[in-house]
Amino acid sequence: MKLSFVFAAAISSFFVSSTTGFGFSGQADALTFSGISSATWGEPTPGSANTTPIYTGVGSNTFTWGQPNLPAGLPNKLTFNQTSFSADINSVFKIADLTYFNGTVLPDTSVEFVPLNLNVSFSPPVGISQVFDFSLHLINTLNDARDPEKSADFVFIDTNLSNRSFTFGSNKYTLELTGFNPDVRQISIKALEGAITTTAIYAKIKTIPEPTSVAGLSLLGIYLISRKNSGKKNTKSL
């Protein structure tokens, strides 16, 4: 079996484009991203169980929800604290600090999801500012006076909305929220009733592979298989 001139030319073309793509990828892998993050909270989703939701802080960095069960009581609260960062491609880094207070609130007054509009301002040479839309899932449990652990509430990162893309130069990237721990996958935090938890939110920036590079590798596989089959036929004809 012989490859046609057109097919061989196509492979040659893909080799050139793939090599160029890999060159861009190498440059992207050497890039360090730095900057500062800030965020505001969006309009929450109450969920079917919360028939009379009460909340404040949409458009600010502090969000509260739930009606306190006592006049002197306090609602649940999330505060996003901005921070600076510097990170290489595929490395986990702290992108923010989150403070969570678990208040004692009346049933049916909470919310289930709250959007997190994360604004990342990249320093030069990237020099762009972009808002990445994420979401947090709020788990509000019924209190048990006999067991403080059962009265704890939780905040989860919604993994269905855990990464967003952006473009710099000729390369595309994703910004992914990896969780609340830099070493292991931890997408939730908890706070005991009346307690405060302060933790870091971690992220990772990854390169999105160019389609031409993937196509070039696929065509290379076809080429090698064709050469292998051709060699077998030539051996049999001897």
Side-chain angles (χ1 to χ4, degrees):
M1 178 191 300
K2 292 185 178 180
L3 293 176
S4 69
F5 175 78
V6 175
F7 188 54
I11 287 181
S12 176
S13 175
F14 268 115
F15 279 155
V16 172
S17 62
S18 296
T19 302
T20 303
F22 288 137
F24 283 131
S25 177
Q27 295 174 15
D29 290 343
L31 186 62
T32 296
F33 290 92
S34 61
I36 191 168
S37 70
S38 60
T40 59
W41 301 102
E43 190 70 28
T45 301
S48 59
N50 300 303
T51 55
T52 55
I54 295 175
Y55 54 88
T56 67
V58 173
S60 74
N61 72 317
T62 298
F63 179 76
T64 72
W65 70 101
Q67 175 66 45
N69 68 333
L70 296 174
L74 297 172
N76 301 305
K77 183 167 68 172
L78 282 173
T79 302
F80 184 98
N81 301 303
Q82 69 178 27
T83 186
S84 58
F85 63 88
S86 179
D88 297 328
I89 291 291
N90 294 320
S91 65
V92 176
F93 63 96
K94 185 177 82 168
I95 198 167
D97 285 310
L98 186 70
T99 301
Y100 172 37
F101 172 71
N102 180 7
T104 303
V105 300
L106 298 175
D108 307 330
T109 66
S110 294
V111 298
E112 189 172 351
F113 290 92
V114 60
L116 176 65
N117 306 314
L118 178 63
N119 182 33
V120 180
S121 296
F122 292 102
S123 301
V126 180
I128 62 174
S129 182
Q130 183 166 327
V131 176
F132 300 87
D133 297 325
F134 299 106
S135 179
L136 298 184
H137 187 191
L138 312 177
I139 304 295
N140 304 283
T141 62
L142 293 176
N143 294 332
D144 186 341
R146 297 167 300 177
D147 190 344
E149 286 293 331
K150 288 184 178 180
S151 301
D153 290 350
F154 298 83
V155 173
F156 284 80
I157 293 175
D158 186 355
T159 55
N160 293 322
L161 299 171
S162 65
N163 62 77
R164 289 292 180 267
S165 64
F166 66 99
T167 301
F168 168 61
S170 58
N171 295 293
K172 291 185 177 181
Y173 306 87
T174 60
L175 175 67
E176 173 188 356
L177 295 187
T178 60
F180 301 103
N181 190 311
D183 301 316
V184 297
R185 182 172 173 78
Q186 179 189 338
I187 62 170
S188 68
I189 55 172
K190 74 174 181 179
L192 298 178
E193 195 71 17
I196 296 175
T197 295
T198 299
T199 186
I201 301 178
Y202 294 91
K204 179 188 290 187
I205 296 175
K206 300 188 293 186
T207 307
I208 300 177
E210 289 292 336
T212 53
S213 300
V214 176
L217 291 176
S218 300
L219 195 55
L220 174 61
I222 296 173
Y223 170 74
L224 293 177
I225 293 172
S226 301
R227 287 293 302 272
K228 182 178 179 180
N229 292 338
S230 176
K232 288 182 179 179
K233 289 188 177 181
N234 289 337
T235 302
K236 290 180 181 180
S237 62
L238 293 177

